Amino acid sequence: SGTIYFEDIHLLPYPLQNEFIDFLEENRFSRSDKDLHIITSTEVPLEEEVTRGMFRNDLFYFLNAVKIEVPSLRERKEDIPFLIDVFLKEIEEGINKKTIKISKEALNLLLEYHWPGNITELKNTLEGMVILSVSELILPEDIPVHIKSGVATGRSLQIEVGMSLEQAEKILIWETLKANRFNKSKSAQILGIGLRTLYRKIEQYNLDKQ
């Protein structure tokens, strides 16, 4: 009995998916495991992974009995100030540092950022700023450069006047993919589009052949 949590289940290699579904099927009606709960999480739509042949159809339906959708951090920015307060208190206790506050200007920068790494990225960012800060007040200069730029990669693009919308989109997608080492899930999050849409755009612009 108990609970098993699998984070980022979409990253489970296909051969291990076969073993996992076999385990679930074998123990589905086992009396000894009747109190065993399986919880999984994913950052990408598993339906799209099934369509692409990257995730087993039967495993998807097995795990999809109860589905809870948690909005990304960029979709609930009103929670960020509260989360910052909670995380700062945890960080203070962990490193025995005096009460840390964040300036209004620094908070505004954090609110403008799109947080592709969600809560984990927010907490790690705060921890790094607290450790490196020389005062008890986090200022805009303490914010990492890539966050102040408003782009997760910390890079900027120049779109020329007269360039078509398709040309601009192609450049944006290509540079985002390169900056994220062709991690398509992360790139799709940064671009604010679905993973299936990104794959379609990659094929449309022949980016997989560059």
Side-chain angles (χ1 to χ4, degrees):
S1 63
T3 301
I4 301 177
Y5 172 59
F6 292 89
E7 184 177 9
D8 293 330
I9 191 66
H10 61 284
L11 298 178
L12 187 67
Y14 207 90
L16 292 182
Q17 292 179 32
N18 297 333
E19 296 183 19
F20 189 30
I21 191 65
D22 288 342
F23 166 79
L24 294 174
E25 290 290 355
E26 289 174 5
N27 293 276
R28 187 173 189 176
F29 302 107
S30 173
R31 298 185 64 182
S32 61
D33 290 328
K34 64 180 180 180
D35 294 325
L36 178 63
H37 303 284
I38 304 293
I39 299 176
T40 63
S41 67
T42 177
E43 296 181 355
V44 301
L46 284 184
E47 297 93 332
E48 296 182 4
E49 295 297 285
V50 170
T51 301
R52 293 178 51 234
M54 302 300 293
F55 200 85
R56 283 188 55 144
N57 186 62
D58 51 354
L59 180 56
F60 166 72
Y61 286 113
F62 197 105
L63 298 175
N64 203 42
V66 178
K67 183 178 180 180
I68 301 176
E69 293 191 12
V70 180
S72 63
L73 193 55
R74 69 172 177 270
E75 296 177 282
R76 48 191 176 98
K77 290 191 173 183
E78 65 277 6
D79 292 343
I80 291 179
F82 169 75
L83 291 171
I84 288 175
D85 287 340
V86 172
F87 290 150
L88 284 180
K89 289 177 182 177
E90 291 181 1
I91 295 168
E92 291 164 9
E93 295 175 0
I95 62 176
N96 295 319
K97 202 166 186 177
K98 293 182 179 180
T99 303
I100 302 295
K101 299 294 183 182
I102 184 167
S103 70
K104 183 177 180 180
E105 294 77 13
L107 176 60
N108 287 336
L109 286 172
L110 297 181
L111 288 172
E112 292 173 4
Y113 185 57
H114 51 277
W115 300 107
N118 288 300
I119 291 179
T120 301
E121 183 183 7
L122 174 61
K123 185 174 183 179
N124 289 342
T125 298
L126 289 171
E127 188 172 35
M129 290 191 296
V130 169
I131 292 174
L132 296 175
S133 178
V134 296
S135 70
E136 297 173 6
L137 180 66
I138 295 177
L139 301 170
E141 50 263 38
D142 297 316
I143 305 293
V145 174
H146 71 277
I147 290 180
K148 286 189 284 190
S149 71
V151 179
T153 59
R155 299 172 63 180
S156 60
L157 296 176
Q158 183 174 357
I159 304 299
E160 298 179 1
V161 176
M163 181 179 292
S164 70
L165 184 60
E166 284 194 349
Q167 288 175 314
E169 184 179 58
K170 179 179 179 179
I171 292 173
L172 178 60
I173 292 174
W174 175 246
E175 292 299 329
T176 301
L177 285 167
K178 285 199 302 180
N180 290 283
R181 299 181 180 180
F182 297 91
N183 183 319
K184 295 181 178 62
S185 296
K186 185 175 181 180
S187 296
Q189 286 183 328
I190 292 173
L191 291 166
I193 60 178
L195 190 59
R196 179 183 295 178
T197 300
L198 178 59
Y199 274 100
R200 188 174 69 250
K201 294 291 185 181
I202 290 174
E203 182 177 358
Q204 176 184 343
Y205 297 129
N206 293 317
L207 296 179
D208 55 339
K209 299 178 182 178
Q210 293 193 20

